[in-house]
Amino acid sequence: MRLLLIEDDQAFQLALASHLRQLADVQHVAVASDGEQGLEWLQHQGVDLVVLDLVLPGIGGLSTCRQITATHHASVLILTSHDDPHWLQQIWQAGARGYLHKERAFAQVELALRSLLLGASWWDQKATAALQRLEPEGVAAAAASRALMAALTRREQEVLACLADGDNNRTIAQRLGIGEGTVRSHVHVLLQKLQVNNRTQAALLWRRSAGQGHRSFSTDASPEPRVMPVRAH
């Protein structure tokens, strides 16, 4: 596992980088002190995951996250002391695959990184609840959400329910009795139908829609039409 840590607090950067280097399966940990340094480093070196502080000098953490998710394959885990719902909303809208509070960083970072590496996300219960509270209320918002879900086939809804459980493509394939290529195809299509940019946003939309009558489906295998695989998202 190759990591890039972008953190401007030198003491915290040194401590966390040292901790990360001691984790199993971590081959390399690069460090940068701001977004510009991190983006420049990524132009020349590839990494599997980026651990990114939210509050950075220069272009800041959110802008850095947007540029990383738009131009690189590495998943982003946001590291922050903030737990305000509006910050959390901006974090997932920027394309981050996870959020880790600095108070829990050393205890949870290994599990969080492994989740992202497997294609899942890492949002603790507090963060998820805060994001759900931001969902606009009213008839129009509820109708729009129901319309998006109604556009999904039953199988796409089953895949989405698995995404909301934090499953990666392999686990979804095993649960539903279909191939990983078929899972990737369904994910590609449902992201377009839901008008979201990534799996995390889709999972959160499913969780919010649960209160509108959409519940988890049985994951018993059933006949599935052949779907040509597409590039993974």
Side-chain angles (χ1 to χ4, degrees):
M1 189 188 310
R2 299 165 299 166
L3 307 176
L4 171 61
L5 171 61
I6 307 177
E7 166 65 59
D8 67 316
D9 184 319
Q10 293 299 311
F12 191 87
Q13 181 196 91
L14 289 171
L16 185 57
S18 177
H19 178 75
L20 292 172
R21 292 184 178 111
Q22 296 177 39
L23 299 180
D25 299 326
V26 172
Q27 286 83 40
H28 181 70
V29 179
V31 296
S33 297
D34 57 42
E36 289 89 345
Q37 290 181 10
L39 290 168
E40 182 178 358
W41 196 91
L42 287 171
Q43 293 296 325
H44 306 287
Q45 302 289 335
V47 299
D48 300 303
L49 302 168
V50 177
V51 182
L52 173 65
D53 187 14
L54 178 63
V55 181
L56 291 170
I59 63 175
L62 284 175
S63 179
T64 301
C65 182
R66 293 189 191 98
Q67 293 189 50
I68 292 174
T69 57
T71 58
H72 300 279
H73 295 296
S75 298
V76 177
L77 175 67
I78 291 290
L79 187 66
T80 180
S81 299
H82 293 281
D83 53 13
D84 180 272
H86 293 283
W87 274 112
L88 294 172
Q89 184 182 47
Q90 293 183 66
I91 288 169
W92 76 264
Q93 287 178 339
R97 292 280 298 280
Y99 153 92
L100 187 60
H101 198 284
K102 285 188 175 181
E103 291 181 352
R104 299 179 288 274
F106 290 89
Q108 297 184 350
V109 68
E110 183 173 13
L111 288 175
L113 292 174
R114 289 188 182 279
S115 295
L116 268 64
L117 193 63
L118 290 172
S121 58
W122 182 270
W123 300 86
D124 61 25
Q125 292 182 345
K126 185 176 181 180
T128 301
L131 285 168
Q132 290 174 333
R133 288 195 299 270
L134 286 174
E135 177 67 5
E137 299 178 350
V139 175
S145 181
R146 285 195 297 270
L148 287 173
M149 286 299 161
L152 302 181
T153 66
R154 181 177 178 83
R155 180 61 91 191
E156 288 165 354
Q157 291 183 12
E158 291 172 342
V159 172
L160 182 54
C162 291
L163 289 180
D165 288 339
D167 294 340
N168 58 36
N169 288 349
R170 178 177 298 178
T171 301
I172 295 173
Q174 292 172 347
R175 288 180 64 179
L176 301 182
I178 58 179
E180 287 188 57
T182 301
V183 173
R184 289 193 293 270
S185 297
H186 284 311
V187 172
H188 174 77
V189 172
L190 70 86
L191 290 181
Q192 292 183 323
K193 287 184 176 181
L194 295 178
Q195 303 172 29
V196 294
N197 298 320
N198 54 61
R199 297 160 69 107
T200 299
Q201 293 176 4
L204 289 170
L205 182 60
W206 171 262
R207 290 175 181 176
R208 289 196 296 271
S209 71
Q212 301 170 11
H214 294 280
R215 303 296 181 185
S216 295
F217 290 89
S218 167
T219 55
D220 294 337
S222 59
E224 175 72 5
R226 183 176 178 84
V227 181
M228 294 301 293
V230 297
R231 189 178 299 276
H233 282 256

Short mmCIF file of all heavy atoms in Angstrom, two decimals, residues 34-94:
data_model
loop_
_atom_site.label_atom_id
_atom_site.label_comp_id
_atom_site.label_asym_id
_atom_site.label_seq_id
_atom_site.Cartn_x
_atom_site.Cartn_y
_atom_site.Cartn_z
N ASP A 34 1.09 20.93 2.04
CA ASP A 34 -0.09 21.65 1.53
C ASP A 34 -0.57 20.99 0.25
O ASP A 34 0.06 20.06 -0.27
CB ASP A 34 0.22 23.14 1.31
CG ASP A 34 1.39 23.39 0.36
OD1 ASP A 34 1.48 22.67 -0.67
OD2 ASP A 34 2.20 24.28 0.63
N GLY A 35 -1.71 21.48 -0.25
CA GLY A 35 -2.30 20.87 -1.41
C GLY A 35 -1.46 20.97 -2.66
O GLY A 35 -1.38 20.03 -3.45
N GLU A 36 -0.81 22.12 -2.84
CA GLU A 36 0.01 22.31 -4.03
C GLU A 36 1.16 21.29 -4.07
O GLU A 36 1.43 20.69 -5.11
CB GLU A 36 0.58 23.73 -4.06
CG GLU A 36 -0.45 24.82 -4.35
CD GLU A 36 -1.13 25.35 -3.09
OE1 GLU A 36 -1.01 24.69 -2.02
OE2 GLU A 36 -1.76 26.41 -3.16
N GLN A 37 1.83 21.09 -2.92
CA GLN A 37 2.91 20.11 -2.86
C GLN A 37 2.39 18.70 -3.14
O GLN A 37 3.01 17.92 -3.86
CB GLN A 37 3.58 20.15 -1.49
CG GLN A 37 4.39 21.39 -1.21
CD GLN A 37 5.05 21.34 0.16
OE1 GLN A 37 5.06 20.31 0.83
NE2 GLN A 37 5.59 22.48 0.59
N GLY A 38 1.23 18.39 -2.56
CA GLY A 38 0.66 17.08 -2.78
C GLY A 38 0.30 16.82 -4.23
O GLY A 38 0.60 15.75 -4.78
N LEU A 39 -0.32 17.80 -4.88
CA LEU A 39 -0.71 17.64 -6.29
C LEU A 39 0.52 17.53 -7.19
O LEU A 39 0.53 16.75 -8.15
CB LEU A 39 -1.58 18.83 -6.72
CG LEU A 39 -2.98 18.86 -6.10
CD1 LEU A 39 -3.64 20.21 -6.37
CD2 LEU A 39 -3.85 17.73 -6.65
N GLU A 40 1.54 18.31 -6.87
CA GLU A 40 2.78 18.23 -7.65
C GLU A 40 3.41 16.85 -7.51
O GLU A 40 3.90 16.27 -8.48
CB GLU A 40 3.76 19.32 -7.21
CG GLU A 40 5.05 19.33 -8.02
CD GLU A 40 6.00 20.44 -7.60
OE1 GLU A 40 5.64 21.23 -6.70
OE2 GLU A 40 7.10 20.52 -8.17
N TRP A 41 3.40 16.32 -6.29
CA TRP A 41 3.98 15.00 -6.05
C TRP A 41 3.22 13.93 -6.84
O TRP A 41 3.82 13.03 -7.42
CB TRP A 41 3.94 14.70 -4.55
CG TRP A 41 4.84 13.56 -4.15
CD1 TRP A 41 6.13 13.62 -3.75
CD2 TRP A 41 4.49 12.16 -4.12
NE1 TRP A 41 6.61 12.37 -3.47
CE2 TRP A 41 5.63 11.45 -3.70
CE3 TRP A 41 3.32 11.45 -4.42
CZ2 TRP A 41 5.64 10.06 -3.55
CZ3 TRP A 41 3.33 10.08 -4.28
CH2 TRP A 41 4.48 9.39 -3.85
N LEU A 42 1.88 14.06 -6.88
CA LEU A 42 1.07 13.08 -7.58
C LEU A 42 1.28 13.11 -9.09
O LEU A 42 0.97 12.15 -9.78
CB LEU A 42 -0.41 13.30 -7.27
CG LEU A 42 -0.87 12.88 -5.87
CD1 LEU A 42 -2.30 13.36 -5.61
CD2 LEU A 42 -0.78 11.37 -5.70
N GLN A 43 1.78 14.23 -9.61
CA GLN A 43 2.06 14.30 -11.04
C GLN A 43 3.19 13.37 -11.45
O GLN A 43 3.28 12.96 -12.61
CB GLN A 43 2.44 15.75 -11.44
CG GLN A 43 1.29 16.75 -11.30
CD GLN A 43 0.13 16.45 -12.23
OE1 GLN A 43 0.33 15.99 -13.36
NE2 GLN A 43 -1.08 16.70 -11.76
N HIS A 44 4.04 13.03 -10.49
CA HIS A 44 5.23 12.24 -10.80
C HIS A 44 5.22 10.86 -10.15
O HIS A 44 5.97 9.98 -10.57
CB HIS A 44 6.48 12.99 -10.36
CG HIS A 44 6.58 14.38 -10.92
ND1 HIS A 44 6.88 14.64 -12.24
CD2 HIS A 44 6.38 15.59 -10.33
CE1 HIS A 44 6.88 15.95 -12.45
NE2 HIS A 44 6.58 16.55 -11.31
N GLN A 45 4.41 10.67 -9.11
CA GLN A 45 4.40 9.40 -8.39
C GLN A 45 2.96 8.93 -8.21
O GLN A 45 2.07 9.73 -7.96
CB GLN A 45 5.05 9.55 -7.01
CG GLN A 45 6.49 10.05 -7.04
CD GLN A 45 7.45 9.00 -7.58
OE1 GLN A 45 7.18 7.81 -7.51
NE2 GLN A 45 8.58 9.44 -8.12
N GLY A 46 2.75 7.64 -8.30
CA GLY A 46 1.44 7.09 -8.08
C GLY A 46 1.29 6.57 -6.66
O GLY A 46 2.26 6.08 -6.06
N VAL A 47 0.10 6.69 -6.10
CA VAL A 47 -0.19 6.16 -4.77
C VAL A 47 -1.53 5.44 -4.81
O VAL A 47 -2.33 5.63 -5.73
CB VAL A 47 -0.22 7.26 -3.69
CG1 VAL A 47 1.12 7.96 -3.58
CG2 VAL A 47 -1.33 8.26 -3.96
N ASP A 48 -1.76 4.63 -3.81
CA ASP A 48 -3.04 3.93 -3.71
C ASP A 48 -4.08 4.78 -2.98
O ASP A 48 -5.25 4.80 -3.37
CB ASP A 48 -2.86 2.61 -2.96
CG ASP A 48 -1.88 1.68 -3.66
OD1 ASP A 48 -2.11 1.36 -4.84
OD2 ASP A 48 -0.87 1.30 -3.03
N LEU A 49 -3.64 5.49 -1.94
CA LEU A 49 -4.55 6.27 -1.11
C LEU A 49 -3.92 7.58 -0.68
O LEU A 49 -2.70 7.65 -0.49
CB LEU A 49 -4.96 5.47 0.14
CG LEU A 49 -5.63 4.11 -0.07
CD1 LEU A 49 -5.70 3.34 1.24
CD2 LEU A 49 -7.02 4.28 -0.66
N VAL A 50 -4.76 8.59 -0.50
CA VAL A 50 -4.30 9.89 -0.01
C VAL A 50 -5.01 10.19 1.31
O VAL A 50 -6.24 10.13 1.38
CB VAL A 50 -4.59 11.02 -1.02
CG1 VAL A 50 -4.17 12.37 -0.44
CG2 VAL A 50 -3.88 10.75 -2.34
N VAL A 51 -4.24 10.49 2.33
CA VAL A 51 -4.78 10.95 3.61
C VAL A 51 -4.62 12.45 3.63
O VAL A 51 -3.49 12.96 3.63
CB VAL A 51 -4.06 10.30 4.81
CG1 VAL A 51 -4.69 10.76 6.13
CG2 VAL A 51 -4.12 8.78 4.71
N LEU A 52 -5.72 13.18 3.63
CA LEU A 52 -5.70 14.61 3.35
C LEU A 52 -6.33 15.41 4.49
O LEU A 52 -7.50 15.19 4.83
CB LEU A 52 -6.46 14.88 2.04
CG LEU A 52 -6.71 16.33 1.64
CD1 LEU A 52 -5.39 17.04 1.34
CD2 LEU A 52 -7.62 16.37 0.42
N ASP A 53 -5.56 16.34 5.04
CA ASP A 53 -6.10 17.24 6.06
C ASP A 53 -7.08 18.20 5.40
O ASP A 53 -6.84 18.69 4.29
CB ASP A 53 -4.96 18.00 6.73
CG ASP A 53 -5.42 18.85 7.91
OD1 ASP A 53 -6.55 18.64 8.39
OD2 ASP A 53 -4.65 19.71 8.35
N LEU A 54 -8.18 18.48 6.08
CA LEU A 54 -9.19 19.37 5.50
C LEU A 54 -8.74 20.82 5.48
O LEU A 54 -8.96 21.55 4.51
CB LEU A 54 -10.49 19.25 6.29
CG LEU A 54 -11.64 20.15 5.85
CD1 LEU A 54 -12.08 19.82 4.43
CD2 LEU A 54 -12.83 20.02 6.80
N VAL A 55 -8.10 21.26 6.56
CA VAL A 55 -7.70 22.67 6.68
C VAL A 55 -6.21 22.79 6.35
O VAL A 55 -5.36 22.38 7.13
CB VAL A 55 -7.98 23.21 8.10
CG1 VAL A 55 -7.56 24.67 8.19
CG2 VAL A 55 -9.45 23.04 8.45
N LEU A 56 -5.93 23.34 5.17
CA LEU A 56 -4.57 23.47 4.70
C LEU A 56 -4.32 24.90 4.21
O LEU A 56 -5.25 25.58 3.77
CB LEU A 56 -4.31 22.51 3.53
CG LEU A 56 -4.28 21.02 3.81
CD1 LEU A 56 -4.25 20.24 2.51
CD2 LEU A 56 -3.07 20.65 4.67
N PRO A 57 -3.07 25.36 4.25
CA PRO A 57 -2.75 26.65 3.63
C PRO A 57 -2.84 26.55 2.11
O PRO A 57 -2.91 25.46 1.55
CB PRO A 57 -1.31 26.91 4.10
CG PRO A 57 -0.74 25.55 4.35
CD PRO A 57 -1.89 24.73 4.87
N GLY A 58 -2.85 27.68 1.45
CA GLY A 58 -2.90 27.67 -0.01
C GLY A 58 -4.30 27.38 -0.53
O GLY A 58 -5.28 27.99 -0.10
N ILE A 59 -4.42 26.42 -1.42
CA ILE A 59 -5.70 26.14 -2.05
C ILE A 59 -6.68 25.42 -1.12
O ILE A 59 -7.86 25.32 -1.43
CB ILE A 59 -5.53 25.32 -3.34
CG1 ILE A 59 -4.92 23.95 -3.04
CG2 ILE A 59 -4.69 26.09 -4.34
CD1 ILE A 59 -4.84 23.05 -4.26
N GLY A 60 -6.20 24.92 -0.01
CA GLY A 60 -7.08 24.29 0.97
C GLY A 60 -7.36 22.82 0.68
O GLY A 60 -7.08 22.31 -0.41
N GLY A 61 -7.95 22.14 1.67
CA GLY A 61 -8.17 20.71 1.55
C GLY A 61 -9.27 20.33 0.59
O GLY A 61 -9.13 19.35 -0.17
N LEU A 62 -10.38 21.09 0.57
CA LEU A 62 -11.49 20.73 -0.31
C LEU A 62 -11.10 20.83 -1.78
O LEU A 62 -11.40 19.95 -2.59
CB LEU A 62 -12.70 21.61 -0.02
CG LEU A 62 -13.50 21.29 1.24
CD1 LEU A 62 -14.60 22.32 1.45
CD2 LEU A 62 -14.10 19.89 1.16
N SER A 63 -10.45 21.93 -2.14
CA SER A 63 -10.01 22.10 -3.53
C SER A 63 -9.00 21.02 -3.91
O SER A 63 -9.05 20.49 -5.03
CB SER A 63 -9.41 23.49 -3.73
OG SER A 63 -8.95 23.66 -5.06
N THR A 64 -8.11 20.70 -2.99
CA THR A 64 -7.14 19.64 -3.25
C THR A 64 -7.85 18.32 -3.48
O THR A 64 -7.52 17.57 -4.40
CB THR A 64 -6.17 19.51 -2.07
OG1 THR A 64 -5.49 20.76 -1.86
CG2 THR A 64 -5.13 18.43 -2.34
N CYS A 65 -8.84 18.03 -2.66
CA CYS A 65 -9.61 16.79 -2.80
C CYS A 65 -10.29 16.73 -4.16
O CYS A 65 -10.25 15.69 -4.84
CB CYS A 65 -10.62 16.68 -1.67
SG CYS A 65 -11.60 15.15 -1.69
N ARG A 66 -10.92 17.82 -4.56
CA ARG A 66 -11.62 17.83 -5.86
C ARG A 66 -10.66 17.55 -7.00
O ARG A 66 -10.98 16.80 -7.94
CB ARG A 66 -12.30 19.18 -6.07
CG ARG A 66 -13.45 19.46 -5.11
CD ARG A 66 -14.20 20.72 -5.52
NE ARG A 66 -15.14 21.14 -4.48
CZ ARG A 66 -14.89 22.09 -3.59
NH1 ARG A 66 -13.73 22.76 -3.63
NH2 ARG A 66 -15.79 22.40 -2.67
N GLN A 67 -9.47 18.16 -6.94
CA GLN A 67 -8.51 17.97 -8.03
C GLN A 67 -7.97 16.55 -8.04
O GLN A 67 -7.75 15.96 -9.11
CB GLN A 67 -7.36 18.98 -7.89
CG GLN A 67 -7.80 20.42 -8.11
CD GLN A 67 -6.63 21.38 -8.18
OE1 GLN A 67 -5.67 21.15 -8.92
NE2 GLN A 67 -6.69 22.45 -7.41
N ILE A 68 -7.75 15.97 -6.86
CA ILE A 68 -7.24 14.59 -6.80
C ILE A 68 -8.27 13.62 -7.37
O ILE A 68 -7.96 12.77 -8.19
CB ILE A 68 -6.88 14.21 -5.36
CG1 ILE A 68 -5.66 15.02 -4.88
CG2 ILE A 68 -6.58 12.71 -5.26
CD1 ILE A 68 -5.33 14.81 -3.42
N THR A 69 -9.53 13.75 -6.92
CA THR A 69 -10.56 12.80 -7.36
C THR A 69 -10.90 12.99 -8.83
O THR A 69 -11.37 12.05 -9.48
CB THR A 69 -11.83 12.95 -6.51
OG1 THR A 69 -12.31 14.30 -6.57
CG2 THR A 69 -11.54 12.59 -5.05
N ALA A 70 -10.65 14.18 -9.37
CA ALA A 70 -10.97 14.43 -10.77
C ALA A 70 -9.87 13.95 -11.72
O ALA A 70 -10.16 13.63 -12.88
CB ALA A 70 -11.22 15.92 -11.00
N THR A 71 -8.64 13.88 -11.24
CA THR A 71 -7.52 13.62 -12.15
C THR A 71 -6.67 12.41 -11.78
O THR A 71 -5.78 12.04 -12.54
CB THR A 71 -6.60 14.85 -12.23
OG1 THR A 71 -6.11 15.17 -10.91
CG2 THR A 71 -7.35 16.06 -12.77
N HIS A 72 -6.93 11.78 -10.63
CA HIS A 72 -6.11 10.64 -10.20
C HIS A 72 -7.01 9.49 -9.76
O HIS A 72 -8.17 9.70 -9.41
CB HIS A 72 -5.17 11.04 -9.07
CG HIS A 72 -4.21 12.14 -9.44
ND1 HIS A 72 -3.05 11.91 -10.13
CD2 HIS A 72 -4.26 13.47 -9.23
CE1 HIS A 72 -2.41 13.06 -10.33
NE2 HIS A 72 -3.13 14.03 -9.79
N HIS A 73 -6.44 8.30 -9.74
CA HIS A 73 -7.20 7.12 -9.35
C HIS A 73 -7.18 6.88 -7.84
O HIS A 73 -7.93 6.05 -7.34
CB HIS A 73 -6.66 5.88 -10.07
CG HIS A 73 -6.83 5.92 -11.55
ND1 HIS A 73 -8.07 5.92 -12.15
CD2 HIS A 73 -5.92 5.97 -12.56
CE1 HIS A 73 -7.92 5.96 -13.47
NE2 HIS A 73 -6.64 5.99 -13.74
N ALA A 74 -6.32 7.58 -7.13
CA ALA A 74 -6.19 7.35 -5.69
C ALA A 74 -7.45 7.79 -4.95
O ALA A 74 -8.03 8.84 -5.23
CB ALA A 74 -4.98 8.10 -5.15
N SER A 75 -7.88 6.98 -3.98
CA SER A 75 -9.00 7.35 -3.11
C SER A 75 -8.51 8.31 -2.03
O SER A 75 -7.34 8.26 -1.62
CB SER A 75 -9.60 6.11 -2.46
OG SER A 75 -10.12 5.24 -3.43
N VAL A 76 -9.42 9.18 -1.56
CA VAL A 76 -9.05 10.20 -0.58
C VAL A 76 -9.77 9.95 0.74
O VAL A 76 -10.99 9.80 0.78
CB VAL A 76 -9.38 11.61 -1.09
CG1 VAL A 76 -9.06 12.65 -0.03
CG2 VAL A 76 -8.62 11.90 -2.38
N LEU A 77 -8.99 9.92 1.82
CA LEU A 77 -9.51 9.86 3.18
C LEU A 77 -9.26 11.21 3.82
O LEU A 77 -8.11 11.62 3.97
CB LEU A 77 -8.83 8.76 3.98
CG LEU A 77 -9.19 8.66 5.47
CD1 LEU A 77 -10.65 8.23 5.64
CD2 LEU A 77 -8.27 7.69 6.19
N ILE A 78 -10.33 11.93 4.16
CA ILE A 78 -10.20 13.25 4.76
C ILE A 78 -9.91 13.11 6.25
O ILE A 78 -10.55 12.35 6.97
CB ILE A 78 -11.47 14.09 4.56
CG1 ILE A 78 -11.64 14.46 3.08
CG2 ILE A 78 -11.44 15.35 5.43
CD1 ILE A 78 -10.63 15.47 2.57
N LEU A 79 -8.94 13.88 6.70
CA LEU A 79 -8.54 13.90 8.11
C LEU A 79 -8.82 15.30 8.64
O LEU A 79 -8.34 16.29 8.09
CB LEU A 79 -7.04 13.60 8.20
CG LEU A 79 -6.42 13.40 9.57
CD1 LEU A 79 -6.96 12.14 10.24
CD2 LEU A 79 -4.90 13.30 9.44
N THR A 80 -9.62 15.39 9.71
CA THR A 80 -10.02 16.72 10.17
C THR A 80 -10.44 16.71 11.62
O THR A 80 -10.75 15.66 12.19
CB THR A 80 -11.18 17.25 9.32
OG1 THR A 80 -11.57 18.55 9.78
CG2 THR A 80 -12.39 16.33 9.41
N SER A 81 -10.45 17.89 12.23
CA SER A 81 -10.98 18.06 13.57
C SER A 81 -12.42 18.56 13.54
O SER A 81 -13.05 18.72 14.57
CB SER A 81 -10.12 19.07 14.36
OG SER A 81 -8.79 18.59 14.49
N HIS A 82 -12.95 18.83 12.33
CA HIS A 82 -14.30 19.36 12.19
C HIS A 82 -15.32 18.23 12.13
O HIS A 82 -15.09 17.20 11.50
CB HIS A 82 -14.42 20.19 10.90
CG HIS A 82 -13.61 21.44 10.93
ND1 HIS A 82 -14.02 22.58 11.59
CD2 HIS A 82 -12.41 21.74 10.38
CE1 HIS A 82 -13.11 23.53 11.45
NE2 HIS A 82 -12.12 23.05 10.72
N ASP A 83 -16.47 18.42 12.77
CA ASP A 83 -17.58 17.48 12.63
C ASP A 83 -18.88 18.22 12.34
O ASP A 83 -19.97 17.68 12.53
CB ASP A 83 -17.72 16.59 13.86
CG ASP A 83 -17.82 17.38 15.16
OD1 ASP A 83 -18.03 18.60 15.09
OD2 ASP A 83 -17.69 16.77 16.23
N ASP A 84 -18.77 19.46 11.86
CA ASP A 84 -19.95 20.22 11.47
C ASP A 84 -20.57 19.58 10.23
O ASP A 84 -19.87 19.26 9.27
CB ASP A 84 -19.54 21.66 11.17
CG ASP A 84 -20.73 22.51 10.78
OD1 ASP A 84 -21.06 22.54 9.57
OD2 ASP A 84 -21.34 23.12 11.67
N PRO A 85 -21.90 19.39 10.23
CA PRO A 85 -22.55 18.73 9.09
C PRO A 85 -22.28 19.39 7.75
O PRO A 85 -22.17 18.71 6.73
CB PRO A 85 -24.04 18.80 9.46
CG PRO A 85 -24.06 18.88 10.95
CD PRO A 85 -22.84 19.68 11.32
N HIS A 86 -22.18 20.72 7.73
CA HIS A 86 -21.95 21.41 6.45
C HIS A 86 -20.56 21.11 5.91
O HIS A 86 -20.38 20.99 4.69
CB HIS A 86 -22.17 22.91 6.62
CG HIS A 86 -23.60 23.27 6.91
ND1 HIS A 86 -24.57 23.30 5.93
CD2 HIS A 86 -24.24 23.57 8.07
CE1 HIS A 86 -25.74 23.62 6.46
NE2 HIS A 86 -25.56 23.79 7.76
N TRP A 87 -19.57 20.97 6.79
CA TRP A 87 -18.24 20.56 6.35
C TRP A 87 -18.31 19.14 5.80
O TRP A 87 -17.72 18.83 4.75
CB TRP A 87 -17.24 20.62 7.51
CG TRP A 87 -16.61 21.95 7.73
CD1 TRP A 87 -16.78 22.80 8.79
CD2 TRP A 87 -15.67 22.62 6.87
NE1 TRP A 87 -16.04 23.94 8.64
CE2 TRP A 87 -15.34 23.86 7.47
CE3 TRP A 87 -15.10 22.29 5.64
CZ2 TRP A 87 -14.45 24.76 6.89
CZ3 TRP A 87 -14.20 23.19 5.06
CH2 TRP A 87 -13.90 24.41 5.69
N LEU A 88 -19.01 18.27 6.50
CA LEU A 88 -19.11 16.88 6.05
C LEU A 88 -19.77 16.78 4.68
O LEU A 88 -19.36 16.00 3.83
CB LEU A 88 -19.90 16.06 7.08
CG LEU A 88 -19.24 15.89 8.44
CD1 LEU A 88 -20.18 15.23 9.43
CD2 LEU A 88 -17.97 15.06 8.30
N GLN A 89 -20.79 17.58 4.46
CA GLN A 89 -21.46 17.57 3.17
C GLN A 89 -20.50 17.99 2.06
O GLN A 89 -20.46 17.38 0.99
CB GLN A 89 -22.67 18.51 3.19
CG GLN A 89 -23.48 18.47 1.90
CD GLN A 89 -24.64 19.45 1.93
OE1 GLN A 89 -24.46 20.61 2.30
NE2 GLN A 89 -25.82 19.00 1.55
N GLN A 90 -19.71 19.01 2.32
CA GLN A 90 -18.75 19.46 1.31
C GLN A 90 -17.67 18.41 1.06
O GLN A 90 -17.19 18.26 -0.06
CB GLN A 90 -18.10 20.78 1.76
CG GLN A 90 -19.07 21.95 1.79
CD GLN A 90 -18.38 23.25 2.17
OE1 GLN A 90 -17.54 23.76 1.44
NE2 GLN A 90 -18.72 23.77 3.34
N ILE A 91 -17.31 17.67 2.11
CA ILE A 91 -16.29 16.63 1.96
C ILE A 91 -16.75 15.55 1.00
O ILE A 91 -16.03 15.17 0.07
CB ILE A 91 -15.94 16.03 3.35
CG1 ILE A 91 -15.13 17.03 4.18
CG2 ILE A 91 -15.16 14.72 3.19
CD1 ILE A 91 -14.97 16.63 5.63
N TRP A 92 -17.96 15.04 1.19
CA TRP A 92 -18.40 13.96 0.29
C TRP A 92 -18.74 14.48 -1.09
O TRP A 92 -18.58 13.79 -2.09
CB TRP A 92 -19.50 13.12 0.93
CG TRP A 92 -20.88 13.66 0.99
CD1 TRP A 92 -21.46 14.30 2.02
CD2 TRP A 92 -21.90 13.56 -0.02
NE1 TRP A 92 -22.76 14.62 1.74
CE2 TRP A 92 -23.06 14.17 0.50
CE3 TRP A 92 -21.94 13.00 -1.29
CZ2 TRP A 92 -24.25 14.26 -0.23
CZ3 TRP A 92 -23.13 13.09 -2.02
CH2 TRP A 92 -24.26 13.71 -1.47
N GLN A 93 -19.19 15.74 -1.18
CA GLN A 93 -19.44 16.32 -2.51
C GLN A 93 -18.13 16.52 -3.28
O GLN A 93 -18.14 16.54 -4.51
CB GLN A 93 -20.19 17.64 -2.37
CG GLN A 93 -21.65 17.48 -1.97
CD GLN A 93 -22.37 18.80 -1.79
OE1 GLN A 93 -21.74 19.84 -1.57
NE2 GLN A 93 -23.68 18.77 -1.85
N ALA A 94 -17.03 16.68 -2.55
CA ALA A 94 -15.73 16.83 -3.20
C ALA A 94 -15.18 15.51 -3.70
O ALA A 94 -14.15 15.49 -4.38
CB ALA A 94 -14.73 17.48 -2.24
#
